[in-house]
């Protein structure tokens, strides 16, 4: 049985092009703020970024990638080998276990390469739908919207979605925005969430989207 799409907020279809135009003007070069040189490094950095800041991840990964440059090297390590290199990142013990396990699976199933396949990435330890969207969109140009806390919060505040479930927010945004702008959209929303539309004390008076924001000045 096909599930019917969720109800969009009133006025969402009219606000969507306004939001996109404003974000394009504000963040024309929006991209991930994680540092990486190849798909493997992006996958590792994205797994590390769960419940952690990109700044903390970027501070830890140079030493990590110097020691473990690819899936073959990391897959031969133990979690105890990896832990000291990522200790500054939240939940580092569990992430160390996942990194070693996912690297071993990349070697076993994919010749050490990150597959350009959504289901294959989701199946890796420590990965999920958001991780797959981030990795495939940034590494391979896959059209995707990765919904993190910023994207979810802004989608609700801007009246683009009524949903709290990230998968449902993603589906709403996909209905409202052109497929070719999905990757840009999630990067721009993340930047706006970090710089202006904070979870606490959003800077509404400085927001370029305030003229059509239905929740301006309203606490979350």
């Amino acid at each position: 049985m096909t599930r019917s799409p969720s109800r969009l907020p009133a006025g969402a279809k009219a606000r969507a092009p306004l939001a996109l135009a404003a974000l394009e003007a504000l963040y024309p070069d929006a991209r991930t703020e994680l540092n990486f040189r190849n798909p493997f490094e992006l996958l590792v950095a994205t797994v590390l970024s769960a419940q952690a800041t990109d700044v903390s991840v970027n501070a830890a990964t140079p030493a990590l990638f110097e020691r473990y440059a690819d899936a073959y090297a990391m897959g031969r390590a133990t979690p105890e080998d990896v832990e000291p290199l990522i200790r500054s990142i939240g939940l580092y013990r569990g992430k160390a276990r996942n990194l070693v396990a996912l690297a071993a699976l990349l070697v076993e199933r994919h010749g050490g390469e990150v597959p350009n396949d959504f289901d294959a990435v989701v199946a890796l330890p420590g990965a999920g739908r958001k991780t797959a969207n981030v990795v495939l969109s940034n590494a391979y140009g896959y059209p995707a919207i990765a919904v993190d806390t910023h994207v979810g919060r802004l989608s609700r505040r801007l009246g683009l979605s009524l949903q709290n479930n990230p998968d449902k927010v993603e589906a709403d945004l996909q209905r409202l925005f052109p497929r070719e702008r999905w990757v840009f959209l999630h990067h721009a929303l993340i930047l706006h969430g970090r710089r202006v539309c904070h979870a606490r004390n959003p800077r509404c008076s400085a927001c370029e989207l305030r003229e059509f924001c239905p929740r301006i000045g309203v606490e979350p």
Side-chain angles (χ1 to χ4, degrees):
M1 180 178 179
T2 303
R3 181 181 297 178
S4 59
S6 60
R7 179 172 61 90
L8 291 170
K13 291 183 179 179
R15 278 190 294 275
L18 299 176
L20 181 59
L23 292 169
E24 287 174 334
L26 287 169
Y27 312 108
D29 302 316
R31 59 178 296 277
T32 181
E33 294 189 311
L34 291 171
N35 295 334
F36 68 97
R37 295 171 295 186
N38 53 59
F40 175 71
E41 291 189 358
L42 176 60
L43 173 61
V44 170
T46 305
V47 169
L48 290 173
S49 71
Q51 300 183 52
T53 66
D54 288 356
V55 172
S56 68
V57 174
N58 289 338
T61 50
L64 179 67
F65 295 142
E66 183 178 359
R67 180 79 59 86
Y68 306 111
D70 54 30
Y72 289 93
M74 190 172 287
R76 291 192 296 267
T78 67
E80 291 73 24
D81 294 329
V82 174
E83 284 179 11
L85 298 169
I86 61 170
R87 193 180 299 274
S88 60
I89 298 173
L91 307 175
Y92 72 92
R93 288 193 176 91
K95 290 176 181 179
R97 289 193 298 271
N98 285 334
L99 291 183
V100 171
L102 76 80
L105 278 180
L106 288 178
V107 172
E108 177 185 335
R109 298 178 180 176
H110 307 290
E113 300 297 324
V114 177
N116 185 5
D117 179 272
F118 183 87
D119 291 335
V121 175
V122 169
L124 296 170
R129 186 175 186 88
K130 189 191 81 170
T131 296
N133 281 335
V134 170
V135 172
L136 295 184
S137 63
N138 288 283
Y140 300 121
Y142 179 89
I145 300 174
V147 178
D148 69 351
T149 56
H150 297 294
V151 174
R153 180 176 73 254
L154 268 67
S155 296
R156 290 183 289 274
R157 284 183 177 172
L158 290 170
L160 301 172
S161 178
L162 298 170
Q163 306 301 318
N164 288 303
N165 181 288
D167 294 353
K168 293 182 178 180
V169 173
E170 179 186 346
D172 286 347
L173 295 178
Q174 288 178 341
R175 292 162 62 193
L176 290 170
F177 294 91
R179 184 180 180 89
E180 64 272 14
R181 301 306 287 154
W182 288 355
V183 177
F184 165 82
L185 177 71
H186 82 246
H187 289 316
L189 286 173
I190 289 170
L191 290 178
H192 199 64
R194 288 174 176 168
R195 298 177 185 181
V196 179
C197 194
H198 306 140
R200 297 181 181 180
N201 302 315
R203 297 171 53 221
C204 297
S205 61
C207 182
E208 297 292 334
L209 285 66
R210 63 185 178 276
E211 292 184 6
F212 52 85
C213 177
R215 289 184 58 110
I216 186 167
V218 178
E219 287 299 314

